[in-house]
Amino acid sequence: MGALNSLPDEPQYVGLAEKTGFSFEQIGILHKRFKQLSNNGETLRREDFNTIPDLLCNPIRSEIIEAFFDRRNFRQTDAVGTVHEIGFGEFLLVMSHFRPPSIRLDDEQKEVIRMEKLRFLFNMHDTDNDGTITLEEYRHVVEELLSRSGALGKETAKGIADAAMLEVASISMGHMEPDEFYEGITFEHFNKLLKEFEVESRMNIRFMNMDTTTLCK
Amino acid sequence: MVLIRGLSPQFLDHLLTGIEDICGHYGHHHWKDKLNRFNKKYIKKCLIAGERSREPQLIAFYHKMEMKQAIELVESGGGIKLPPVVPSTVSMQNIQPKKPPPPVERALPQIPKGREDEIRKILRGNLQKTRQRLRSYNRHTLVADPFEDGWSDLLLKKSKMIELEKKITEMNNYLTVPAAPPDSPTITRARLSSDPQAYQRKQLSDSVPTIQVDLASPQSPDSLSLLDELQRADQRRELRRRPPPDEEEGGGLMMRPPQARGGDQGEEGGPSAKEQRLQRCLSDPGPSAEDDEDEPFLS
């Protein structure tokens, strides 16, 4: 394949391959894409994502873009906060959350992968990084999800978010005094809620089928 | 669980489509999303004539709306068991951060008036009838649809309640009780008699002075059915709105706001006797039913 011959930064790729689990070939393809988006620059900024026309129609566009600049997704322990620009390494690290788990993994390793993917989803909701998805945060997501597509009004989406939150609170807290306050959905509870969701098999992109010829301009 | 689980696939779909777009990879999410958008934008408008091109959206909307209302109902203590949800004391109060709990009965935010409300009413009217008609062999009941199981009963009851409430307000204007305000003792007693189990009143002796009410026209079937409906509706309404039993047991006489109980002034003395009398009156429409009353209120 032509892509293999045009890999300029092979030593760097070794490190990235180890960190992310991507093959050299996949890394090469994604690097090409990175250069396209960054206009051959070394770093990507949020504005660069606006050059992708299809992304503009996406209701949760801003959450997705933010995920690329969220240090919690850079696989560095306890890193928090956001950055203004990212290099290829970070780009690849964020992408790696969508790699399908290898079939050869045992249950424990699969569980690790599942937690990583779930954590990524959680981070997308918990924007202020206080460890909980608050009502306000959840409302925001639901609003974007449901009312941006035009099907529902803002108030309705808000109502649905409230109802969902109420559901979660009822299930996790059972009984609450009128003056008690439910802080929000913790990661632990988020995990429990989505236990049967099979995130490890659903939250994947088939990078293997990627081909340089199909990359859109 | 239902709502979060319902929303998650949508969220994930958009997420994966977005990632594919970022990669520049035309994966199946990309195509699925593109096709859906194209379909929504052009095909539906061309192939489905007129207003109906907006319908599927509205049906999905209707379902989400009804789900939301069902949750509201559970939250407000509707007294209808919902299988997957454990009744709890958690309410909107517990999750709203700053605002004090809203004073209206429905704790969840109301949808603003306008098109959405209109649409909802129309949809409910039409779709509910369809549901009822097709209940016998609705395809949703053939293939076990967990989404609809248990919800459909809830929704029907809720819609019946709303319709009855509407009827009540309409009927209140047409009651033929002479010189009686909308919340006359007649109606009040009708409510009381309908709900013996909800009001755990002690049995008082008949010597306590009571005020009996002669129904204006107990014989006419119209008023009977009217009361019947009122009773049923109010029973449901009471179940929804009544305060916890502890409050009721306290000290005998209690003044209630007119909407909830009717303006009974000190008449709470012999409710059981009244109940009996009224019920007798309903079952036996003969005019002699009220002869043994001590103080006929209306003669």
Side-chain angles (χ1 to χ4, degrees), chain B residues 4-299:
Chain B
I4 298 252
R5 296 234 184 99
L7 292 167
S8 305
Q10 268 216 344
F11 184 86
L12 200 66
D13 249 345
H14 287 298
L15 173 63
L16 293 173
T17 307
I19 297 289
E20 276 183 5
D21 291 333
I22 292 171
C23 290
H25 171 47
Y26 288 154
H28 75 265
H29 283 96
H30 172 91
W31 288 117
K32 190 167 95 172
D33 185 66
K34 218 165 185 156
L35 197 65
N36 274 330
R37 274 188 281 133
F38 180 72
N39 189 21
K40 202 158 95 170
K41 204 168 173 194
Y42 299 108
I43 310 248
K44 281 185 181 171
K45 282 197 177 146
C46 297
L47 296 183
I48 304 175
E51 270 304 297
R52 286 200 63 213
S53 63
R54 299 185 55 193
E55 211 176 76
Q57 256 187 352
L58 297 179
I59 292 183
F61 169 78
Y62 165 74
H63 279 304
K64 290 204 163 96
M65 277 303 309
E66 291 298 313
M67 194 168 27
K68 179 198 154 199
Q69 285 195 324
I71 298 277
E72 266 178 55
L73 190 62
V74 171
E75 189 268 316
S76 60
I80 296 165
K81 283 284 178 196
L82 182 64
V85 178
V86 177
S88 78
T89 58
V90 179
S91 69
M92 280 308 293
Q93 221 176 317
N94 298 111
I95 65 175
Q96 296 275 11
K98 281 159 203 157
K99 290 182 288 181
V104 296
E105 279 114 29
R106 305 180 74 173
L108 284 177
Q110 301 244 359
I111 299 150
K113 301 289 175 196
R115 189 118 180 85
E116 286 176 26
D117 240 12
E118 244 178 77
I119 294 170
R120 179 165 41 114
K121 283 187 188 131
I122 295 166
L123 279 176
R124 183 188 299 123
N126 293 333
L127 292 175
Q128 213 66 57
K129 281 183 208 148
T130 315
R131 255 195 211 171
Q132 281 169 306
R133 257 189 278 126
L134 298 179
R135 259 189 104 64
S136 55
Y137 65 96
N138 190 331
R139 64 185 172 96
H140 290 294
T141 57
L142 288 177
V143 180
D145 188 336
F147 215 71
E148 287 217 354
D149 262 58
W151 288 112
S152 41
D153 287 325
L154 204 74
L155 301 176
L156 278 171
K157 279 180 182 158
K158 171 75 179 177
S159 68
K160 275 199 188 124
M161 262 198 256
I162 293 174
E163 276 166 31
L164 281 168
E165 278 195 65
K166 263 191 252 164
K167 276 195 195 160
I168 292 162
T169 38
E170 277 171 47
M171 284 173 180
N172 275 340
N173 302 329
Y174 294 106
L175 276 181
T176 54
V177 176
D183 257 350
S184 73
T186 314
I187 299 168
T188 309
R189 221 145 275 112
R191 283 200 208 110
L192 290 178
S193 76
S194 75
D195 219 352
Q197 65 268 35
Y199 305 3
Q200 287 121 24
R201 290 204 181 87
K202 304 182 175 78
Q203 290 285 325
L204 295 172
S205 66
D206 277 0
S207 59
V208 178
T210 61
I211 294 175
Q212 308 306 328
V213 167
D214 198 355
L215 287 181
S217 45
Q219 296 86 347
S220 79
D222 286 337
S223 63
L224 276 178
S225 61
L226 182 96
L227 275 171
D228 200 39
E229 291 213 67
L230 284 173
Q231 285 170 19
R232 269 194 284 123
D234 275 309
Q235 195 169 5
R236 288 203 185 93
R237 194 199 282 176
E238 291 308 330
L239 279 174
R240 267 197 297 144
R241 292 187 196 165
R242 67 178 171 86
D246 327 322
E247 276 185 40
E248 282 185 64
E249 296 292 348
L253 289 182
M254 281 187 287
M255 293 288 286
R256 296 279 177 204
Q259 312 98 284
R261 303 287 170 87
D264 270 335
Q265 287 107 26
E267 290 167 357
E268 310 261 331
S272 53
K274 277 186 253 168
E275 286 166 23
Q276 283 174 357
R277 284 200 174 82
L278 190 63
Q279 280 172 342
R280 236 188 295 140
C281 153
L282 287 175
S283 59
D284 174 19
S288 57
E290 278 71 46
D291 277 357
D292 39 319
E293 291 171 6
D294 295 324
E295 296 151 25
F297 186 71
L298 298 166
S299 44

Side-chain angles (χ1 to χ4, degrees), chain A residues 29-66:
Chain A
I29 293 169
L30 287 168
H31 202 176
K32 255 200 161 158
R33 179 57 174 172
F34 180 87
K35 288 206 176 115
Q36 247 181 357
L37 293 173
S38 69
N39 245 321
N40 267 315
E42 290 295 313
T43 58
L44 269 184
R45 297 198 175 172
R46 287 177 177 81
E47 310 89 76
D48 296 318
F49 285 86
N50 295 333
T51 59
I52 307 167
D54 283 323
L55 195 62
L56 295 172
C57 313
N58 197 313
I60 52 170
R61 179 180 86 252
S62 51
E63 275 85 4
I64 297 173
I65 296 173
E66 262 320 292

